[in-house]
Amino acid sequence: MAKTKLTLYVDKEVSEVAKKVANLSGKSISTLVKDYFIEKAKKIEQLKTIDSVNKWVGILDTQKTYKKLREELIAEKLKKYENIS
């Protein structure tokens, strides 16, 4: 992937902290910034997924298992057919 230059302006203290963190982690500041934005993007995508799922949370408020719900549905349908006969 082609790299491009990004100019970042931060306070001198932040610059010093960034250099120390980079040195301690054995990574360059560029790699730390890249890793940060990749992780941030992943979290945003997860939140989008969570939001699309959250609209369904609570729609079925039951303590019954899937198997029990299925059995009840089948029994209900069978009752309808019994009433027809």
Side-chain angles (χ1 to χ4, degrees):
M1 184 182 304
K3 293 185 179 186
T4 184
K5 183 177 179 178
L6 173 67
T7 302
L8 180 66
Y9 292 97
V10 295
D11 294 334
K12 184 173 181 161
E13 295 82 20
V14 174
S15 174
E16 294 302 319
V17 169
K19 289 175 185 176
K20 287 179 184 177
V21 170
N23 189 28
L24 290 172
S25 68
K27 296 180 178 181
S28 68
I29 294 174
S30 294
T31 301
L32 292 175
V33 170
K34 177 191 76 167
D35 291 348
Y36 169 81
F37 282 110
I38 288 171
E39 284 302 312
K40 195 70 164 174
K42 286 179 186 177
K43 287 181 182 179
I44 290 169
E45 285 302 314
Q46 287 175 344
L47 288 176
K48 286 181 184 177
T49 302
I50 290 170
D51 286 342
S52 66
V53 172
N54 277 341
K55 67 181 177 184
W56 299 105
V57 171
I59 199 165
L60 181 61
D61 188 18
T62 183
Q63 298 297 318
K64 298 176 185 175
T65 65
Y66 169 78
K67 183 177 178 182
K68 182 67 177 169
L69 290 169
R70 187 184 70 202
E71 289 171 357
E72 289 176 2
L73 180 62
I74 292 170
E76 184 180 313
K77 287 185 177 189
L78 288 175
K79 283 181 187 178
K80 288 181 184 179
Y81 287 115
E82 289 172 359
N83 292 335
I84 293 173
S85 304

